[in-house]
Amino acid sequence: MIAAWMLGSTVFALLLCVAAFAIERVMRLTGRPTRTPWVLALALAVVWPLMAPLVLAPRLKASAGIPLVLPGSESSPAAMIAAQLPSQSAIWEQRAATLLLVVWGVLSALMLWRLLMAARELSRVTRLAKRVQVDGESVLVTESLGPAVIGLWTPSVAVPEWFLQLDASLREMVLRHEREHCKSRDPQLVWLASLSVALMPWNIGAWILSRRLRLALEIDCDARTLGHESDSIKYSRLLLLIAQRQSSYPLAAMLAESTSHLSRRIRAMQMTPLKKPVVRVVLFTGIATGALVVACSPRIASDLTGPGQKPVSATAAKLEAEKMGGGTVYFESQVELPVSIAPGSIGPKYPADLKAQSIEGNVLAMFVVDEQGMADVASFKIVRTASNPEFEAAVRAALPTMRFVPAKIGGRSVKQLVQQPFSFAVNRGQAPLSSAEIKQFGDPNSDKYAAERATIKQGTASRSTESDTKLVKPQPHIAGQPYFESQVEVPVSIRSGYKGPEYPAELKAKRIEGTVLAIFVVNENGQADMSSFKVLKSNNDQFAAAVREAVSKETYTPALIGGVAVKQLVQQPFSFSLSR
């Protein structure tokens, strides 16, 4: 969401403020100009947040881990349809993001308009000014603006009429100060600082950096001026005199030198160098380093990429499931027989008021099924919903009464993390099966389809036991066509004795772990069609090669429709972990 990006940009800019302040102290203690850290910090605060989504987003996405692939997850057609439906929270987030963008655009437009008006004001003052020679220096004599440097491409020194009445030595100090501004291209830096604030008017860090940059420009020019004039007391009194006699130009002051930092400038001139500044230099260097490390941390970087809905990594989901479910929890790919719906298990009840209004919806839930085939309610979480909250309540209420056949490893029941979609659909009057179809697929009123009539089939959307839901007609078998898991009666499964890919010796020796997400078609003979094999995600080419080799040698139990083996498209994660 844009709000997270804006917050991340502001925090990033504030951390740069801390770093620039510490570096400024170091440079001041070592007698060097102090503008550089503020210039760099302001440039980074504006440019990097705009570039980060393009530079960092692909890297963070690649390192986030594989998506959670479980029975009935995003790989199934039902879940794909549900994923395309925006949730209520997503709709509100989108509206809030739109509002923030509108407010941002309005504020930036006002700031840019103000800059334009300031430039026009300075242009008007320049046209009305008289160019004269003062102590050998060509200056613009204005009614009351100045002393200041005005102009972007060809800066000129502007002085008020009362300036001509000052003593020659005072005039020389003022003109030298303004010449230093011109030599250092300070007017251009002031323009850039004002433009940066206009581009990000909501960024407090950018405002602070802009203000501190202008102060640093004045302090540097004061230091160079005092290099020719040793009397700092006299120079300080001159600054006070100028501040008292300057007139107010609200808009023009944006692009001319400011006197608002006068007290700090005078204190900076009065500072005496330390005899042993090493301790303070080390201290401020450490502060600057720490602020930069935090600013470049992955947490700040993830906010700068403009995060949206982040995928749940397999590792994070498993740790959360084990924490809530207690004990070791397995994925579908780690068990020999995955969780399935027990025959006769009753699914969620269609909310009466929503059913009466023909309101449909989908809910994607995640929970742990324990060794007894019971859903652990404490681990229940709504992953995605694109419908009314009453559908979520119906799923949550039905879960304690639902019965499952637990997952098995070596004949032993184990816990498994299940991600299951539930679909609430009003009957649209589906045509009954013909006698030929009953002969081919079986009688839907027979015991074979009892569980199907009662609730959902594993890997497909749930169906209400109400009268509005009937058995969905089985997919007819078309030779050579690969099916999704939800389109077959019995999905592809891993045969007993499955060993999985071999851990690459080189990576194992270096203790490098990783994950691979692959997609491929399993033929009617249980062999993987390697021409369809694709690696969707991998953090190391050696892991991907190991998976490819293992899949090519593995034999699966093929998918079935009406007792006939068919092809099925399989999306399978592989984990390479040394902790197993």
Side-chain angles (χ1 to χ4, degrees), residues 19 79 89 114 120 138 200 207 215 271 308 312 346 404 410 478 486 509 511 523 544 573 576:
S89 60
R114 190 164 178 254
R120 291 185 60 183
S138 178
M200 291 185 174
W207 283 87
L215 172 60
M271 286 182 59
V312 181
I346 305 299
F404 301 85
I478 301 177
S486 61
R511 303 192 65 79
N523 292 324
F576 295 84

Side-chain angles (χ1 to χ4, degrees), residues 116 145 147 161 194 223 271 288 290 322 345 348 353 371 398 408 417 500 578:
L116 179 61
L145 176 66
E161 293 179 350
S194 301
M271 286 182 59
E322 291 182 0
S345 180
D353 55 338
E371 299 90 337
K408 294 184 181 297
L417 181 63
L578 298 173

Side-chain angles (χ1 to χ4, degrees), residues 369-375 402-406:
V369 175
D370 62 19
E371 299 90 337
Q372 288 74 41
M374 300 289 294
M402 293 182 67
R403 295 296 180 268
F404 301 85
V405 177

Side-chain angles (χ1 to χ4, degrees), residues 1-2 4-5 90 93 302-303 305-311:
M1 187 177 176
I2 187 65
W5 178 84
E93 287 180 0
S302 63
D303 285 342
T305 58
Q309 183 178 0
K310 299 181 179 179

Side-chain angles (χ1 to χ4, degrees), residues 364-381:
L364 182 61
M366 182 171 65
F367 51 89
V368 173
V369 175
D370 62 19
E371 299 90 337
Q372 288 74 41
M374 300 289 294
D376 184 354
V377 181
S379 67
F380 178 81
K381 285 188 176 181

Side-chain angles (χ1 to χ4, degrees), residues 137-190:
E137 182 81 19
S138 178
V139 299
L140 294 174
V141 178
T142 67
E143 182 179 351
S144 57
L145 176 66
V149 175
I150 58 177
L152 178 60
W153 306 114
T154 55
S156 300
V157 177
V159 296
E161 293 179 350
W162 56 261
F163 171 81
L164 303 177
Q165 302 173 5
L166 293 178
D167 182 74
S169 61
L170 297 180
R171 294 199 303 267
E172 174 61 24
M173 282 192 290
V174 173
L175 294 177
R176 182 178 293 114
H177 178 91
E178 304 304 335
R179 283 197 301 269
E180 292 294 339
H181 276 308
C182 293
K183 290 179 182 178
S184 303
R185 300 186 178 275
D186 290 347
Q188 288 86 342
L189 293 178
V190 172

Side-chain angles (χ1 to χ4, degrees), residues 6-135:
M6 295 170 70
L7 178 61
S9 301
T10 302
V11 174
F12 179 71
L14 291 174
L15 289 170
L16 290 179
C17 288
V18 176
F21 175 80
I23 296 174
E24 179 195 49
R25 293 295 177 181
V26 172
M27 301 186 79
R28 188 173 295 178
L29 289 170
T30 56
R32 298 180 182 179
T34 59
R35 70 180 63 199
T36 304
W38 297 106
V39 172
L40 294 177
L42 183 59
L44 281 174
V46 176
V47 175
W48 182 239
L50 299 176
M51 294 179 58
L54 301 177
V55 177
L56 293 180
R59 298 182 181 179
L60 290 177
K61 184 178 179 181
S63 62
I66 64 173
L68 189 61
V69 182
L70 295 169
S73 66
E74 285 82 348
S75 60
S76 68
M80 290 178 180
I81 295 174
Q84 296 174 356
L85 300 176
S87 64
Q88 292 294 328
S89 60
I91 293 175
W92 283 108
E93 287 180 0
Q94 185 177 3
R95 291 176 180 176
T98 303
L99 178 61
L100 285 175
L101 288 174
V102 170
V103 173
W104 180 0
V106 171
L107 290 178
S108 292
L110 291 175
M111 293 292 295
L112 291 173
W113 176 85
R114 190 164 178 254
L115 271 177
L116 179 61
M117 292 299 100
R120 291 185 60 183
E121 179 68 13
L122 287 179
S123 178
R124 185 189 68 82
V125 172
T126 302
R127 289 196 307 271
L128 297 178
K130 300 177 181 178
R131 185 169 291 279
V132 298
Q133 293 287 328
V134 177
D135 299 332

